[in-house]
Amino acid sequence: LNYHRPFFPYVGLIIALFSALVVYVLPKYKLVNPSQQLSSAFLTLLIIGVGIYGVGTYQRNKVWKTEESIWLDATIKSPKNGRALMNYGLILMSKGDYVAAENYFIKAQPFIPYYSYLYVNWGILKERMGQLAEAEKNFQKAVEYGAAYPTTFYFYGKFLSDQKRYPEAINNLVKALELAPNHNASQRLLMNLYQEQGDFANLEKVALMVLQQDANNLEAKFYLDAAKNKKTPLQTLQDHAAASKTPEAYLDLSLKYYQAKQYEKCIEAANEALKIKSDFPEAYNNICTAYNELKQWDKAIVACEQAIKFNPNFTLAKNNLAWALEQQKQSTNSSTVEK
């Protein structure tokens, strides 16, 4: 868990040890001959030692090959390390293996019972599993144990926003910004919610606060313009995407079009994102979901397969692909029966 801490000090230590070996040990025990060459016995030991370290390095590199293998190794060698157990659970959650992920969170709890981030992650997991009541209990624990951290209020606020409980979400995001006025994720979500609610006075206040911290924040400038001109979220995203021309901005616009049931425009915006970032799995997934809504199963399948190609652990894309394949199959069977 802490390999990064001693890494650089070890460089100095190794230099010091080998310097001492050359200056003091080798001459004292006559491990070098008068021509300053190593004795054959010492050279043999040195080769054996380097070989042993080589084998050890090879074995260690297998452990360090992926983030998943690192954390799995940590849980095996430190089975009472709560953070290691939690982090391996997060890896499993990212792969869509929710049951196994929760098992690791359960294992971690006795060792870090008051660690707020465990409950944040557990809340996110429960929300993905559709167990919303359990998710909220975990977010509430996260806030209780991590009342000094803006992140706990942000994730609880995000959960409440996803459930369309906007006033409660706003309260939590305001608390997050009271703790850390420059917490970017809370700023963005709060501005979004104020605009969604048509609360242009508070939207203007937050946008001005963000611009005081960063006068070049393009997103805050567009929210400030929206507050002054009472623009809808869709209008703001259109302006932002056209000005910033980032794949993320076009992805946000694509999602907003999807939510507005403008599926063709959703696809157009996602394709704009792909022109900038061709390996953007989220953009392909948006295209897939839009084609699913349009009942164009063949195109949906192609898009989702591309999303999974660039992110093999993309659970949402896998679910959308499964839906498209099932609908395509039913459509084919229906056509066959009609004939």
Side-chain angles (χ1 to χ4, degrees):
L1 198 62
N2 291 288
Y3 277 160
H4 60 288
R5 300 189 190 280
F7 181 81
F8 285 109
Y10 265 127
V11 175
L13 177 61
I14 294 301
I15 293 172
L17 287 174
F18 273 88
S19 297
L21 180 69
V22 171
V23 175
Y24 300 108
V25 178
L26 296 183
K28 181 177 180 180
Y29 293 98
K30 299 180 179 179
L31 296 174
V32 293
N33 59 35
S35 63
Q36 295 299 307
Q37 293 181 341
L38 294 174
S39 68
S40 58
F42 184 75
L43 187 58
T44 301
L45 289 173
L46 188 60
I47 292 171
I48 293 172
V50 170
I52 291 171
Y53 273 106
V55 172
T57 300
Y58 175 77
Q59 295 297 327
R60 201 68 196 141
N61 281 344
K62 289 198 295 186
V63 170
W64 278 73
K65 186 175 182 180
T66 65
E67 190 174 4
E68 180 178 356
S69 61
I70 291 173
W71 287 115
L72 177 60
D73 182 69
T75 62
I76 293 169
K77 294 177 178 175
S78 302
K80 295 183 179 181
N81 188 321
R83 287 180 63 189
L85 292 165
M86 181 195 74
N87 284 337
Y88 185 59
L90 283 174
I91 297 293
L92 295 173
M93 183 168 73
S94 70
K95 295 175 66 176
D97 192 349
Y98 297 149
V99 174
E102 184 169 23
N103 285 337
Y104 274 90
F105 290 166
I106 292 170
K107 290 179 183 178
Q109 188 179 31
F111 306 114
I112 46 173
Y114 305 110
Y115 189 50
S116 60
Y117 291 105
L118 171 63
Y119 297 101
V120 166
N121 293 322
W122 212 334
I124 294 170
L125 175 65
K126 286 293 189 179
E127 183 179 7
R128 291 184 184 179
M129 296 172 75
Q131 300 175 17
L132 300 182
E134 291 297 315
E136 183 160 13
K137 288 179 183 178
N138 280 289
F139 284 120
Q140 288 171 342
K141 283 185 179 180
V143 167
E144 178 185 355
Y145 299 141
Y149 304 116
T151 307
T152 59
F153 288 101
Y154 164 73
F155 277 104
Y156 188 25
K158 185 176 183 302
F159 167 77
L160 292 167
S161 173
D162 292 340
Q163 307 313 310
K164 303 189 184 305
R165 294 161 59 182
Y166 298 128
E168 295 170 87
I170 288 170
N171 287 338
N172 277 275
L173 294 168
V174 168
K175 289 178 182 176
L177 292 178
E178 287 173 355
L179 291 167
N182 61 346
H183 192 259
N184 183 256
S186 295
Q187 291 172 343
R188 294 187 69 204
L189 183 54
L190 185 57
M191 287 189 291
N192 178 268
L193 291 181
Y194 278 142
Q195 188 180 25
E196 289 281 358
Q197 295 292 289
D199 189 346
F200 296 112
N202 277 316
L203 175 60
E204 183 173 358
K205 288 179 183 178
V206 178
L208 287 171
M209 180 187 74
V210 175
L211 288 169
Q212 285 178 348
Q213 298 166 3
D214 178 10
N216 297 317
N217 190 307
L218 189 61
E219 191 173 21
K221 289 180 180 179
F222 282 107
Y223 275 119
L224 181 59
D225 176 65
K228 291 180 177 179
N229 295 293
K230 295 180 172 50
K231 290 185 176 181
T232 66
L234 182 56
Q235 289 173 314
T236 297
L237 285 173
Q238 289 169 335
D239 293 343
H240 185 226
S244 66
K245 297 189 183 302
T246 64
E248 292 77 16
Y250 280 113
L251 183 73
D252 289 342
L253 178 59
S254 172
L255 177 61
K256 185 59 69 175
Y257 277 133
Y258 179 84
Q259 292 169 343
K261 298 184 179 181
Q262 299 182 40
Y263 302 123
E264 294 288 355
K265 289 187 175 181
C266 168
I267 293 166
E268 289 175 11
N271 277 321
E272 289 298 320
L274 290 171
K275 288 179 183 178
I276 304 166
K277 184 179 178 182
S278 60
D279 60 345
F280 201 2
E282 287 79 8
Y284 281 113
N285 182 64
N286 279 13
I287 293 171
C288 174
T289 55
Y291 276 130
N292 274 343
E293 292 294 335
L294 293 169
K295 299 184 178 4
Q296 297 183 30
W297 315 119
D298 291 346
K299 292 180 179 180
I301 290 166
V302 171
C304 268
E305 285 176 341
Q306 286 294 103
I308 296 167
K309 173 185 173 182
F310 292 115
N311 182 1
N313 298 322
F314 199 166
T315 304
L316 185 58
K318 289 180 179 179
N319 293 340
N320 288 327
L321 175 60
W323 171 257
L325 288 168
E326 179 61 26
Q327 295 305 307
Q328 183 193 54
K329 181 179 177 181
Q330 290 182 13
S331 177
T332 302
N333 290 341
S334 175
S335 298
T336 303
V337 170
E338 288 174 4
K339 290 178 182 179

